[in-house]
Amino acid sequence: MKYQTQRVAYPFFVMAMVLFAAQVIFGVMAGLVYVIPEFLSEAMPFHIMRMSHTNLLIVWLLIGFFGATYYLLPEETENEIHSPTLAYIQLGIFVFAGAAALIGYQFGIHEGRHYLEQPVWVKVLLTISFLMFLYNASFTVLKGRKTAISLVLLLGLWLAAIFWLFAFYTPANMSLDKMYWWYIVHIWVEGVWELIMASLLGFLLIKMTGVDREVIEKWLYVIVGLALFTGLLGTGHHYYWIGTPGYWQPIGGFFSALEVLPFFAMVVFAFYMFWRGQRNHPNRAAILWTLGCAVMAFFGAGVWGFMHTLSFINYYTHGTQITAAHGHLAFFGAYVMLNLAIISYAMPHLRGQQPYNQVLNMWSFWIMTSAMAFMTFALTFAGVVQTHLQRVMGMNFMEVQEHLHLFYVFRLGSGIVVAIGVILFLYAIFGPSRSQASASAAHAPASP
Amino acid sequence: MTTAVQRLRTLPEAAYETGEFVMMEGLSRTAARNIFFGGSLFFFVIFVALTAHSHWYIVTQSTDHAGLNDSVKHGKAVWEEHSCINCHTLLGEGAYFAPELGNVWIRYGGLESPEGARAGIKTWMQIQPTGVPGRRQMPNFNLTDAELDALVDFFEWMSRINTQGWPPNVAG
Ligand code: HEM
Ligand SMILES: [Fe+2]
């Protein structure tokens, strides 16, 4: 760790991982309800589990991004974080707000739009904390060296905060409500978060492959350009059936189909840089998560997204288990794995050690990733059957669900395996370091 | 230890444009950046223009904006207060645990018999949870009669949105 204030990232990573564990627990519980419907049906009905599951995901991903930013900015800007104290306060507010929302949910205190269930005062606290973060990060960048990585990262975070403000706008007309709801949900994950993703991947690749910054940053601009050129109008793939005009069918279909490109470019980017660069970085687990993130994001977001994005297909698959399959693999591949990559990379530095517990960490990678893939397959098959029975044959929803039981058993099973993978990961990262990479294998300078 | 980063700062800029890089040789970093900013702005403006038009289309064409009376608004508030969306879908969005409700008014025969549909939906809400073993349970939200009526008005209003023909059939 070259800069003292990079330490700020540590509590962010700890909190992110605590909430990650909680997210997966709620996920397994919700998966269990699909198999045993009576499970907690009085004490904690399904809707409470689901909002807990999704909110924890979003809150911890953001905390992870904050931590990653604080870790990366000193190295990129070559100066210390503007105010570590502000960072800790900001984290405190964010965690408090997230926890308050979560606890409130258990008592039925929530709002009514999915992913945005936080009561208004919680939303205000989250906004304040986010703005404190942006202030802190922006001043750190202003004071120091300005690299493309930090600029794109900051831009992504600023835009995420700006679009988040639509969470405060709830028009009485449900069609309008839905249209602006996607300004947050879609523009985040298929727009501005991709800026965060690409810049963090760029940082990891510079650090771990030794490839020149000039090349990496040129790629970075190309990727984020592709992301926004396609992702903004790609929002139209959510505007097919909610009362919005018919022209969104060709426009949304065309541009969202092209949304595969930035994800494909990230795969090529990651592997090309890895291939070009030094292949002797000692943190093999972090490299695995980095490359794995690009690949799984491509499948989850790119391939599974493309599968149902054209209007004439989406007409049949809209709001079925196909959507659930895609949502799970996309979030996992793109944003969960991204955070786990950064954490795997940064933690040895934060703990002042050589990369440790690599084998265990890599086991957790394979277990978590293959279980998520299996879950996605199970939900995809469920979705195909559902689409056929319900949308083509017109069979009643609840009757269709009975035919999907086996798939839900598989989904629950894979969810449990994911949870095991998470435990292994947490132990590898936070547990005692049993085996360290030898210092001599440390990253050698790139040969000219 | 010299890292690539440090080397970058010691080598002249031209060294990076000498064809050492197999891909995207013709494109400089500055050009890539300018294309990114310019193009993003371009697409952002189009996107905002189209959603502005869509906003206009929603309030004038596809929904009964004038018919958005207090009861429908109240119904939407009840819908949100209990976060029905975290089990059901509404126009295909939400959770996938319970049936689509954007067309529940139609499914209950609201087009043929509005009174029957209203009574049917209200009764359904009141008899929850069914307690049928092995069947997904819906909580009883203990809604007042006024809330139930408002909710039904909201469903009726939803069912009249021009959804470009979705869902494919009444099963939702
Ligand atoms: C990392 C990026 C992505 C994430 C995290 C993500 C996540 C999600 C989630 C959670 C939903 C469900 C939203 C809801 O609750 O209604 C969804 C829906 C959808 N996504 Fe993505 N997505 C990503 C990228 C993509 C891409 C690149 C495409 C297209 C190529 C795509 C196509 C779709 C479509 C068409 C739907 C609507 C499904 C329906 O009609 O029910 N997604 N996405
Ligand atoms: Fe989308």
Side-chain angles (χ1 to χ4, degrees), chain A residues 261-283:
Chain A
L261 292 178
F263 288 102
F264 183 67
M266 279 191 263
V267 178
V268 178
F269 173 58
F271 279 86
Y272 177 61
M273 296 309 155
F274 177 66
W275 168 77
R276 268 193 57 129
Q278 308 290 313
R279 263 158 286 174
N280 60 352
H281 193 276
N283 197 334

Side-chain angles (χ1 to χ4, degrees), chain B residues 40-64:
Chain B
S40 300
L41 201 65
F42 174 75
F43 283 107
F44 182 71
V45 169
I46 298 182
F47 175 63
V48 171
L50 286 179
T51 43
H53 173 267
S54 301
H55 186 124
W56 171 83
Y57 177 86
I58 287 170
V59 297
T60 59
Q61 314 276 312
S62 63
T63 69
D64 179 14

Side-chain angles (χ1 to χ4, degrees), chain A residues 38 50 78 110 112 117 171 173 177-178 180 182-183 210 217-218 243 247-248 315 318 390-391 401 445, chain B residues 2 4 9 24 27 29 51 53-55 62-63 65 76 80-81 86 90-91 93 134 136 165-166 169 172:
Chain A
E38 288 88 354
R50 183 177 190 268
E78 300 183 327
H110 50 67
E117 296 90 349
N173 185 314
D177 186 337
K178 285 174 172 291
Y180 292 109
W182 287 111
Y183 264 52
E217 295 193 337
K218 189 158 69 178
Y247 56 67
W248 285 112
Y315 182 67
H318 180 49
Q390 187 180 322
R391 296 286 162 74
Q401 293 298 312
Chain B
T2 51
R9 277 178 284 116
M24 293 199 291
L27 182 71
R29 179 168 54 173
T51 43
H53 173 267
S54 301
H55 186 124
S62 63
T63 69
H65 197 66
K76 181 172 184 277
E80 284 163 2
E81 186 186 343
N86 267 300
L90 189 69
L91 303 189
E93 296 168 4
R136 295 180 195 169
W166 194 90
N169 59 58

Side-chain angles (χ1 to χ4, degrees), chain B residues 18 27 73 104 107-108 110 138 142 155-156 172:
Chain B
T18 52
L27 182 71
K73 287 181 189 167
V104 66
R107 210 162 43 240
Y108 273 70
M138 169 167 145
N142 300 311
F155 287 144
E156 190 275 333

Side-chain angles (χ1 to χ4, degrees), chain B:
Chain B
M1 188 178 90
T2 51
T3 64
V5 181
Q6 285 162 330
R7 281 199 313 123
L8 172 76
R9 277 178 284 116
T10 55
L11 286 176
E13 192 74 4
Y16 300 98
E17 306 297 339
T18 52
E20 191 196 358
F21 311 121
V22 188
M23 299 175 84
M24 293 199 291
E25 269 176 65
L27 182 71
S28 76
R29 179 168 54 173
T30 318
R33 187 191 60 202
N34 294 344
I35 293 170
F36 163 62
F37 280 112
S40 300
L41 201 65
F42 174 75
F43 283 107
F44 182 71
V45 169
I46 298 182
F47 175 63
V48 171
L50 286 179
T51 43
H53 173 267
S54 301
H55 186 124
W56 171 83
Y57 177 86
I58 287 170
V59 297
T60 59
Q61 314 276 312
S62 63
T63 69
D64 179 14
H65 197 66
L68 206 56
N69 59 35
D70 287 344
S71 184
V72 176
K73 287 181 189 167
H74 183 204
K76 181 172 184 277
V78 173
W79 167 265
E80 284 163 2
E81 186 186 343
H82 300 286
S83 199
C84 313
I85 196 89
N86 267 300
C87 286
H88 293 275
T89 52
L90 189 69
L91 303 189
E93 296 168 4
Y96 321 108
F97 183 71
E100 164 67 27
L101 295 181
N103 68 342
V104 66
W105 177 255
I106 314 277
R107 210 162 43 240
Y108 273 70
L111 295 183
E112 302 81 41
S113 159
E115 284 321 306
R118 180 172 297 270
I121 294 172
K122 286 170 71 173
T123 309
W124 169 262
M125 297 287 300
Q126 284 161 335
I127 60 168
Q128 301 306 309
T130 59
V132 176
R135 188 183 166 93
R136 295 180 195 169
Q137 297 297 309
M138 169 167 145
N140 192 311
F141 295 102
N142 300 311
L143 301 183
T144 64
D145 207 49
E147 287 172 327
L148 285 170
D149 274 317
L151 201 51
V152 174
D153 288 340
F154 168 66
F155 287 144
E156 190 275 333
W157 186 89
M158 285 300 300
S159 76
R160 286 186 285 117
I161 295 176
N162 175 358
T163 57
Q164 312 286 334
W166 194 90
N169 59 58
V170 76

